[in-house]
Coordinates of all heavy atoms in Angstrom, one line a residue:
A84 N -0.4 10.6 -2.3 CA 0.5 11.7 -2.1 C 2.0 11.3 -2.1 O 2.9 12.0 -2.7 CB 0.2 12.4 -0.8
V85 N 2.3 10.1 -1.5 CA 3.8 9.6 -1.6 C 4.1 9.3 -3.0 O 5.3 9.6 -3.4 CB 3.8 8.4 -0.7 CG1 5.1 7.7 -0.9 CG2 3.6 8.7 0.8
V86 N 3.2 8.6 -3.8 CA 3.6 8.2 -5.1 C 3.7 9.4 -6.0 O 4.7 9.4 -6.9 CB 2.6 7.2 -5.7 CG1 2.8 6.9 -7.1 CG2 2.5 5.9 -4.8
L87 N 2.9 10.4 -5.9 CA 2.9 11.6 -6.7 C 4.1 12.5 -6.4 O 4.7 13.1 -7.2 CB 1.7 12.5 -6.6 CG 0.4 11.9 -7.3 CD1 -0.8 12.8 -7.1 CD2 0.7 11.7 -8.9
A88 N 4.5 12.4 -5.2 CA 5.7 13.2 -4.7 C 7.0 12.6 -5.5 O 7.9 13.3 -5.9 CB 6.0 13.1 -3.3
E89 N 7.0 11.3 -5.8 CA 8.1 10.7 -6.4 C 8.1 10.6 -7.9 O 8.9 10.8 -8.6 CB 8.3 9.2 -5.9 CG 9.4 8.5 -6.5 CD 9.7 7.2 -5.8 OE1 9.0 6.8 -4.8 OE2 10.6 6.3 -6.3
H90 N 6.7 10.4 -8.4 CA 6.6 10.1 -9.9 C 5.7 11.1 -10.6 O 5.2 11.0 -11.7 CB 6.0 8.6 -10.1 CG 6.7 7.7 -9.5 ND1 8.0 7.2 -9.9 CD2 6.5 6.8 -8.4 CE1 8.5 6.3 -9.1 NE2 7.6 6.0 -8.2
G91 N 5.2 12.2 -9.8 CA 4.2 13.0 -10.4 C 4.5 13.8 -11.6 O 3.7 14.3 -12.2
Q92 N 5.8 13.9 -12.0 CA 6.2 14.6 -13.1 C 5.7 13.9 -14.4 O 5.5 14.6 -15.5 CB 7.7 14.7 -13.3 CG 8.4 15.4 -12.1 CD 8.8 14.4 -11.0 OE1 8.2 13.4 -10.9 NE2 9.7 14.9 -10.1
W93 N 5.5 12.7 -14.4 CA 5.0 12.0 -15.5 C 3.9 11.0 -15.5 O 3.4 10.5 -16.3 CB 6.3 11.1 -16.1 CG 6.8 10.2 -15.1 CD1 7.7 10.3 -14.1 CD2 6.4 8.6 -14.9 NE1 8.0 9.2 -13.4 CE2 7.1 8.3 -13.8 CE3 5.4 7.9 -15.5 CZ2 6.9 6.9 -13.4 CZ3 5.2 6.6 -15.1 CH2 6.0 6.1 -14.0
L94 N 3.5 10.9 -14.1 CA 2.3 9.9 -13.9 C 1.1 10.5 -13.4 O 1.2 11.4 -12.5 CB 2.9 8.8 -12.8 CG 1.9 7.9 -12.2 CD1 1.6 6.8 -13.4 CD2 2.5 7.1 -11.0
Q95 N -0.1 10.0 -13.7 CA -1.3 10.5 -13.2 C -1.9 9.4 -12.3 O -1.8 8.2 -12.7 CB -2.4 10.8 -14.3 CG -2.1 12.1 -15.2 CD -3.2 12.3 -16.1 OE1 -4.2 11.6 -16.0 NE2 -2.9 13.2 -17.0
V96 N -2.3 9.8 -11.1 CA -3.0 8.9 -10.3 C -4.4 9.3 -10.0 O -4.8 10.4 -9.2 CB -2.3 8.8 -8.9 CG1 -3.0 7.8 -7.9 CG2 -0.9 8.3 -9.1
Q97 N -5.4 8.8 -10.6 CA -6.8 9.2 -10.5 C -7.6 8.6 -9.4 O -7.3 7.4 -8.9 CB -7.6 8.9 -11.8 CG -7.1 9.6 -13.0 CD -7.9 9.3 -14.3 OE1 -8.7 8.5 -14.3 NE2 -7.6 10.3 -15.3
R98 N -8.5 9.2 -8.8 CA -9.4 8.8 -7.8 C -10.8 8.3 -8.4 O -11.3 9.1 -9.1 CB -9.7 9.8 -6.7 CG -8.4 10.5 -6.2 CD -8.9 11.6 -5.3 NE -7.9 12.4 -4.7 CZ -7.5 13.5 -5.1 NH1 -7.9 14.1 -6.2 NH2 -6.5 14.2 -4.4
D99 N -11.3 7.2 -7.9 CA -12.8 6.8 -8.2 C -13.3 6.2 -7.0 O -13.4 5.0 -7.0 CB -12.7 5.8 -9.4 CG -14.0 5.3 -9.9 OD1 -14.9 5.9 -9.4 OD2 -14.1 4.4 -10.6
Y100 N -13.7 7.1 -6.0 CA -14.0 6.7 -4.7 C -15.6 6.6 -4.6 O -16.3 7.6 -5.1 CB -13.4 7.5 -3.6 CG -12.0 7.6 -3.6 CD1 -11.4 8.6 -3.0 CD2 -11.1 6.7 -4.1 CE1 -10.0 8.8 -2.9 CE2 -9.8 6.7 -4.0 CZ -9.2 7.8 -3.5 OH -7.9 7.9 -3.3
D101 N -16.1 5.7 -3.8 CA -17.5 5.8 -3.3 C -17.4 6.3 -1.9 O -17.1 5.5 -1.0 CB -18.1 4.3 -3.4 CG -19.4 4.2 -2.8 OD1 -19.9 5.3 -2.2 OD2 -20.1 3.2 -2.8
I102 N -17.6 7.5 -1.7 CA -17.4 8.2 -0.5 C -18.4 7.8 0.6 O -18.3 8.2 1.7 CB -17.3 9.7 -0.5 CG1 -18.6 10.2 -1.2 CG2 -16.2 10.2 -1.5 CD1 -18.7 11.8 -1.2
S103 N -19.4 7.1 0.2 CA -20.4 6.6 1.1 C -20.1 5.3 2.0 O -20.6 4.9 3.0 CB -21.7 6.3 0.5 OG -21.6 5.2 -0.4
L104 N -18.8 4.7 1.6 CA -18.3 3.5 2.2 C -18.1 3.7 3.8 O -17.5 4.8 4.1 CB -17.1 3.0 1.5 CG -17.4 2.5 0.2 CD1 -16.0 2.1 -0.5 CD2 -18.3 1.3 0.1
P105 N -18.4 2.8 4.6 CA -18.1 2.9 6.0 C -16.6 2.7 6.2 O -15.9 2.2 5.3 CB -18.9 2.0 6.7 CG -19.1 0.8 5.6 CD -19.1 1.6 4.3
E106 N -16.2 3.0 7.5 CA -14.8 2.6 7.9 C -14.6 1.1 8.0 O -15.7 0.5 8.2 CB -14.4 3.3 9.2 CG -14.3 4.9 9.0 CD -13.8 5.6 10.3 OE1 -14.0 5.0 11.3 OE2 -13.3 6.7 10.2
V107 N -13.4 0.7 7.9 CA -13.1 -0.8 8.0 C -12.2 -0.9 9.2 O -11.4 -0.1 9.5 CB -12.5 -1.4 6.7 CG1 -11.2 -0.7 6.4 CG2 -12.3 -2.9 6.8
R108 N -12.4 -2.0 9.8 CA -11.5 -2.3 11.1 C -10.3 -3.0 10.7 O -10.2 -3.9 10.0 CB -12.2 -3.3 12.1 CG -11.5 -3.4 13.5 CD -12.5 -3.7 14.5 NE -11.8 -4.0 15.7 CZ -11.4 -3.1 16.5 NH1 -11.6 -1.7 16.2 NH2 -10.7 -3.3 17.7
G109 N -9.1 -2.4 11.1 CA -7.8 -2.9 10.6 C -6.7 -2.1 11.2 O -6.9 -1.2 12.0
D110 N -5.6 -2.3 10.9 CA -4.3 -1.6 11.2 C -4.0 -0.6 10.2 O -3.6 -1.0 9.0 CB -3.2 -2.6 11.4 CG -1.9 -1.9 12.0 OD1 -1.4 -0.9 11.3 OD2 -1.3 -2.4 13.0
R111 N -4.1 0.7 10.5 CA -3.9 1.7 9.4 C -2.5 1.7 8.8 O -2.4 1.7 7.5 CB -4.1 3.2 10.1 CG -3.9 4.2 9.2 CD -4.1 5.6 9.9 NE -3.8 6.8 9.1 CZ -2.7 7.2 8.8 NH1 -1.6 6.8 9.5 NH2 -2.4 8.3 8.1
E112 N -1.5 1.5 9.6 CA -0.1 1.5 8.9 C 0.1 0.3 8.0 O 0.7 0.4 7.0 CB 1.0 1.5 10.1 CG 1.0 2.7 10.9 CD 1.2 4.0 10.0 OE1 2.1 4.0 9.1 OE2 0.5 5.0 10.3
Q113 N -0.5 -0.8 8.5 CA -0.4 -2.0 7.6 C -1.1 -1.9 6.3 O -0.7 -2.3 5.2 CB -1.0 -3.3 8.3 CG 0.1 -3.8 9.4 CD -0.3 -5.0 10.0 OE1 -1.3 -5.7 9.6 NE2 0.4 -5.4 11.0
M114 N -2.3 -1.2 6.3 CA -3.1 -0.9 5.1 C -2.3 0.0 4.2 O -2.4 -0.1 3.0 CB -4.4 -0.4 5.5 CG -5.3 -1.4 6.2 SD -6.9 -0.9 6.6 CE -7.7 -0.6 5.0
I115 N -1.6 1.1 4.8 CA -0.9 2.0 4.0 C 0.2 1.1 3.2 O 0.5 1.3 2.1 CB -0.2 3.1 4.8 CG1 -1.3 4.0 5.3 CG2 0.9 3.8 4.1 CD1 -0.8 5.1 6.2
Q116 N 0.9 0.2 3.9 CA 1.9 -0.6 3.4 C 1.4 -1.4 2.2 O 2.0 -1.6 1.2 CB 2.6 -1.6 4.5 CG 3.9 -2.3 4.0 CD 5.0 -1.3 3.8 OE1 5.3 -0.5 4.8 NE2 5.5 -1.2 2.7
V117 N 0.2 -2.0 2.5 CA -0.4 -2.8 1.3 C -0.6 -2.0 0.0 O 0.0 -2.5 -1.0 CB -1.7 -3.4 1.8 CG1 -2.6 -4.0 0.6 CG2 -1.6 -4.4 2.9
F118 N -1.1 -0.9 0.1 CA -1.5 -0.1 -1.0 C -0.2 0.5 -1.7 O 0.0 0.8 -2.8 CB -2.6 0.9 -0.8 CG -3.9 0.2 -0.7 CD1 -4.5 0.0 0.6 CD2 -4.6 -0.3 -1.8 CE1 -5.6 -0.6 0.7 CE2 -5.8 -0.9 -1.6 CZ -6.3 -1.2 -0.3
L119 N 0.7 1.0 -0.8 CA 2.0 1.6 -1.2 C 2.7 0.6 -2.0 O 3.3 1.0 -3.1 CB 2.7 2.1 0.0 CG 3.9 2.9 -0.3 CD1 3.6 4.2 -1.2 CD2 4.7 3.3 0.9
N120 N 2.8 -0.6 -1.5 CA 3.5 -1.8 -2.3 C 2.9 -1.9 -3.7 O 3.6 -1.9 -4.8 CB 3.6 -3.0 -1.5 CG 4.4 -3.0 -0.3 OD1 5.1 -2.0 0.0 ND2 4.4 -4.1 0.4
I121 N 1.7 -2.0 -3.8 CA 1.0 -2.3 -5.1 C 1.0 -1.0 -6.0 O 1.4 -1.2 -7.2 CB -0.5 -2.6 -4.7 CG1 -0.6 -4.0 -4.0 CG2 -1.3 -2.8 -6.2 CD1 -2.0 -4.3 -3.5
V122 N 0.8 0.1 -5.4 CA 0.8 1.3 -6.3 C 2.2 1.6 -6.8 O 2.5 2.0 -8.0 CB 0.2 2.5 -5.6 CG1 0.4 3.7 -6.5 CG2 -1.3 2.2 -5.2
Q123 N 3.2 1.5 -6.0 CA 4.6 1.7 -6.3 C 5.1 0.7 -7.4 O 5.7 1.0 -8.3 CB 5.6 1.5 -5.1 CG 5.6 2.7 -4.2 CD 6.4 3.9 -4.7 OE1 6.6 4.1 -6.0 NE2 7.0 4.7 -3.9
N124 N 4.6 -0.5 -7.2 CA 4.9 -1.6 -8.3 C 4.4 -1.1 -9.6 O 5.0 -1.3 -10.7 CB 4.4 -3.0 -7.9 CG 5.3 -3.7 -7.0 OD1 6.4 -3.3 -6.6 ND2 5.0 -5.0 -6.8
A125 N 3.1 -0.7 -9.6 CA 2.4 -0.2 -10.8 C 3.2 1.0 -11.4 O 3.4 1.0 -12.7 CB 1.0 0.2 -10.5
A126 N 3.7 1.9 -10.6 CA 4.4 3.1 -11.1 C 5.6 2.6 -11.7 O 6.0 3.1 -12.9 CB 4.6 4.1 -10.0
L127 N 6.3 1.7 -11.2 CA 7.6 1.3 -11.7 C 7.5 0.4 -12.9 O 8.3 0.4 -13.8 CB 8.4 0.5 -10.7 CG 8.9 1.3 -9.5 CD1 9.4 0.3 -8.3 CD2 9.9 2.3 -9.9

Side-chain angles (χ1 to χ4, degrees):
V85 171
V86 172
L87 286 178
E89 183 175 354
H90 306 290
Q92 301 91 338
W93 57 272
L94 176 69
Q95 292 185 8
V96 183
Q97 294 188 346
R98 310 172 179 100
D99 183 4
Y100 299 159
D101 179 353
I102 59 173
S103 69
L104 292 173
E106 293 184 335
V107 63
R108 189 156 177 80
D110 184 304
R111 178 179 176 276
E112 293 303 317
Q113 289 186 0
M114 292 180 69
I115 289 174
Q116 190 69 56
V117 167
F118 289 101
L119 189 58
N120 287 1
I121 296 172
V122 176
Q123 283 280 27
N124 271 8
L127 293 171

